[in-house]
Amino acid sequence: MTKEKLTLEAIRKDLMKVTAWSISNKAVWRFSYIIPFTLLAILVGILLRNPWIGILIFSIAAYHIVRYVIEYQEYKAQKRAVTETVERGDISISVEQLSHIAVETIYEPHQIGKRGRSTKTVKMFYFQSSANWRVPSFDRHYEWSKEFNISTNGLENISISGDDFYYVSLQKHHDIAYIYPCKNFDLDSSLMK
C-alpha cells in the first residue's frame, strides 16, 4: 500500500476546516436563542404596549449577541493564527498510539429541528499519551487527498487500537488539532524538522 505525502498546505486546509466548523457550531446555538427572544421581545412589547418588558426580554437575546460577537472575534483570531502559524511552521507534530475510540456525551447546547438540546454525543479518539481528539462532524476527512479522502465512519473503521497517528496541533492553540493515520500518510520532507 502506497502512502500519501502529508504537506504543510494539506495540514493548513484541515486546520482551517476545523476552525470554521467550531464557529459554525457556536453560531447555530447562539442564533437559536437570539431569533426567538428577539421576536418574543417585539411581540410582548407591542401586545402589552410596554417597551420595558420587551427590552427586558430582549436582554436575553442581547447577551447571546454579545457572546457571539466575542466568539466570532476569537474565531477570526484563530483563523489568522492558523494561517500565520502554519506559514511559520509553528505547529506541533507528534506520533501518538491510539488507545481507543469512545462515544461520549458532552455539554454543548445545539438545535435539532425546533428543539434545543444541552448535550451532544460525540466521538473521541484517545491516545496512549493521554492526548485526545474530538472527531469533527465533517462529511469527509482529508478532502485534499487523492487516495485517502474518507468519511467519519471510514476513519473509525480503519483505526485500530495500537495504530500510530500523526497528531498535528498549533503550538499556541492546542485545541485546534487534526490526526492523520501513519499507515496512510508520510510526512513531507519539509515537515521533518
Side-chain angles (χ1 to χ4, degrees):
M1 176 183 229
T2 60
K3 293 185 179 184
E4 193 164 350
K5 288 288 182 190
L6 181 58
T7 63
L8 199 57
E9 179 60 22
I11 291 171
R12 186 191 66 77
K13 286 178 182 178
D14 288 335
L15 294 179
M16 290 295 277
K17 193 174 171 183
V18 166
T19 305
W21 167 75
S22 174
I23 192 63
S24 70
N25 267 355
K26 293 173 183 173
V28 168
W29 174 56
R30 293 291 179 193
F31 281 99
S32 70
Y33 283 95
I34 293 169
I35 294 169
F37 279 104
T38 301
L39 294 175
L40 183 64
I42 293 168
L43 187 64
V44 167
I46 291 171
L47 290 178
L48 296 180
R49 295 184 184 162
N50 187 342
W52 295 110
I53 295 174
I55 291 170
L56 183 65
I57 293 171
F58 181 72
S59 67
I60 297 169
Y63 167 78
H64 287 283
I65 291 169
V66 169
R67 289 299 309 154
Y68 179 71
V69 168
I70 292 168
E71 290 165 352
Y72 188 75
Q73 294 300 322
E74 290 171 358
Y75 159 70
K76 285 178 25 181
Q78 285 179 341
K79 186 177 174 183
R80 194 170 39 255
V82 168
T83 303
E84 293 170 0
T85 302
V86 170
E87 285 174 2
R88 285 193 314 261
D90 291 342
I91 56 175
S92 174
I93 301 175
S94 61
V95 176
E96 305 288 342
Q97 189 175 52
L98 183 66
S99 169
H100 64 282
I101 301 171
V103 176
E104 292 189 1
T105 302
I106 62 169
Y107 174 75
E108 185 175 276
H110 64 286
Q111 286 290 115
I112 298 177
K114 294 181 181 182
R115 298 197 51 136
R117 301 270 191 253
S118 61
T119 59
K120 185 182 268 188
T121 303
V122 297
K123 287 190 180 164
M124 301 285 287
F125 279 57
Y126 286 95
F127 299 95
Q128 297 291 343
S129 67
S130 77
N132 63 51
W133 180 68
R134 177 181 171 185
V135 180
S137 56
F138 298 152
D139 290 334
R140 308 294 294 171
H141 295 276
Y142 322 121
E143 288 183 343
W144 49 266
S145 173
K146 293 176 182 158
E147 294 187 39
F148 302 111
N149 178 344
I150 57 176
S151 67
T152 298
N153 286 339
L155 179 60
E156 185 179 355
N157 289 340
I158 66 166
S159 303
I160 302 167
S161 183
D163 281 356
D164 288 334
F165 284 82
Y166 293 114
Y167 186 91
V168 180
S169 65
L170 298 184
Q171 288 183 356
K172 293 184 180 177
H173 298 275
H174 294 289
D175 55 328
I176 302 173
Y178 218 81
I179 62 170
Y180 302 89
C182 290
K183 61 186 170 189
N184 296 354
F185 297 101
D186 265 338
L187 290 180
D188 188 54
S189 59
S190 63
L191 297 173
M192 299 246 197
K193 295 178 185 176

